[in-house]
Amino acid sequence: MNLFSPESIAAAAANGYDLVCGGGVGDLRRTPAQILAEGEHRTLYRYRLPERFVARGAPVLLVPPLAAPTTCFDLRRGCSLAAHLIDEGHPAYLVDYGEIGFSDRELGLEAWVQDIIPSTIEAVLADSGAPEVQLLGWCLGGIMSLLTVAADPRLRVGAVAAIASPFDFTKVPMVAPLRPLLEGEGGTLITALYRLLGGAPAPLVRAGYQLAGLDKYLRKPFTVAAHLDDRDFLAQIEAVDDFTANMVAYPGRTFGQLYHRFFVVNELAAGTLRLADRQIELAKVRVPVLAVAGTGDGIAPVGACRP
């Protein structure tokens, strides 16, 4: 659209009014869902299906990462992976870990890999009556999904999709320059800090997420101004802002594992991870795996996801 056309000017004026005075331009209502089961750091939701729903595929369990809100799979109307799965004939489920506080500081990745995700898989199978479930995880959710399947091949999982899940952290742009600091005295300071705080508080998580896309964050006012006539573009920015504002904390033990085992040692790049007293080998994953990476992703670029 011509930026200076009457139509563009009218659209920009309407969008500007809604942004400032009208409560926003995006429809952030969530895809309707109901609670199926609840447990400690595991609330299982089933997205409601339309009346004339015809299943054309296996049920899908959406596995979010830690610290991110579950809206990552359901950003807004018109941009919702949950709604898309239902439209494609897949009964869709979501596991929500809930709030993480100081009292959860001893929770490690093994809690999710050996307990929370497996128990949720069984609950999905029991509800759906399907012979197997497909796992779809974003970022750390994809890593945890693959570790879960590798740790227990008996789980009835038919396939795993890992979206933006980095396995080689030397290829993560924002981490590589910091590696010398992470391995020296700076690493000792970080360890002392997360132990003192019981993990990574939500404000720090939010700041880290914004740092990963710092260039976009700094250009945001100019980007909004340049696209003021594009309502869908503005709605997406609004949805991402809402997502970022609702980050939650990392538990202390888990943050320590991510820091020492992922960032410093880069253990996942070799295809193994030691959790508790057990060595998990990703080569034991025998189901189809789909890995998705974005060329412009600051946290999980192609090189980090390819392994």
Side-chain angles (χ1 to χ4, degrees):
M1 181 182 292
N2 182 354
L3 187 62
F4 299 104
S5 68
E7 295 83 359
S8 178
I9 293 173
N15 293 339
Y17 176 85
D18 287 340
L19 284 173
V20 177
C21 306
V25 298
D27 187 348
L28 303 186
R29 290 176 299 160
R30 307 305 171 197
T31 301
Q34 64 187 88
I35 295 177
L36 283 184
E38 291 183 278
E40 188 174 9
H41 294 302
R42 72 200 80 181
T43 298
L44 176 62
Y45 291 88
R46 179 181 62 201
Y47 288 100
R48 293 177 185 170
L49 304 177
E51 292 184 5
R52 298 183 180 179
F53 177 79
V54 177
R56 295 191 295 270
V60 175
L61 173 60
L62 299 173
V63 182
L66 302 177
T70 56
T71 54
C72 59
F73 296 117
D74 192 30
L75 282 175
R76 62 182 176 91
R77 297 294 173 97
C79 187
S80 167
L81 182 55
H84 171 73
L85 288 169
I86 294 170
D87 290 343
E88 290 297 309
H90 294 275
Y93 297 77
L94 169 73
V95 56
D96 187 343
Y97 313 131
E99 293 293 326
I100 298 293
F102 185 78
S103 61
D104 301 307
R105 61 191 179 279
E106 295 302 324
L107 278 179
L109 279 173
E110 56 272 14
W112 278 268
V113 171
Q114 298 175 6
D115 180 20
I116 295 173
I117 297 176
S119 66
T120 305
I121 290 172
E122 294 302 323
V124 170
L125 290 169
D127 177 74
S128 65
E132 60 186 23
V133 64
Q134 300 183 71
L135 303 182
L136 194 160
W138 175 54
C139 199
L140 182 58
I143 295 173
M144 295 192 301
S145 295
L146 285 167
L147 289 171
T148 298
V149 174
D152 188 358
R154 297 170 301 175
L155 290 170
R156 289 185 289 159
V157 174
V160 179
I163 300 175
S165 299
F167 283 82
D168 184 351
F169 283 78
T170 64
K171 301 295 194 301
V172 177
M174 66 177 292
V175 173
L178 301 176
R179 189 165 296 279
L181 297 176
L182 297 177
E183 296 171 347
E185 292 183 2
T188 304
L189 178 62
I190 292 174
T191 300
L193 184 60
Y194 78 71
R195 286 178 177 172
L196 175 67
L197 297 175
L204 288 181
V205 175
R206 189 179 309 117
Y209 184 84
Q210 291 173 336
L211 182 62
L214 183 61
D215 56 335
K216 296 178 183 178
Y217 185 72
L218 294 176
R219 294 199 309 264
K220 180 184 169 184
F222 305 99
T223 304
V224 170
H227 295 83
L228 197 56
D229 62 335
D230 189 338
R231 195 172 186 86
D232 191 67
F233 187 92
L234 298 176
Q236 186 67 7
I237 290 179
E238 191 173 82
V240 173
D241 285 346
D242 179 75
F243 161 82
T244 306
N246 287 285
M247 293 285 185
V248 295
Y250 277 109
R253 178 173 169 76
T254 297
F255 185 83
Q257 290 169 322
L258 296 177
Y259 168 63
H260 291 287
R261 312 290 282 282
F262 288 22
F263 290 94
V264 177
V265 180
N266 199 32
E267 193 171 339
L268 274 179
T272 63
L273 185 69
R274 191 163 193 83
L275 288 180
D277 295 325
R278 184 177 182 185
Q279 185 83 353
I280 299 177
E281 300 177 10
L282 289 169
K284 291 185 177 180
V285 174
R286 297 299 184 186
V287 300
V289 174
L290 172 68
V292 180
T295 55
D297 195 320
I299 298 176
V302 174
C305 298
R306 190 178 299 279

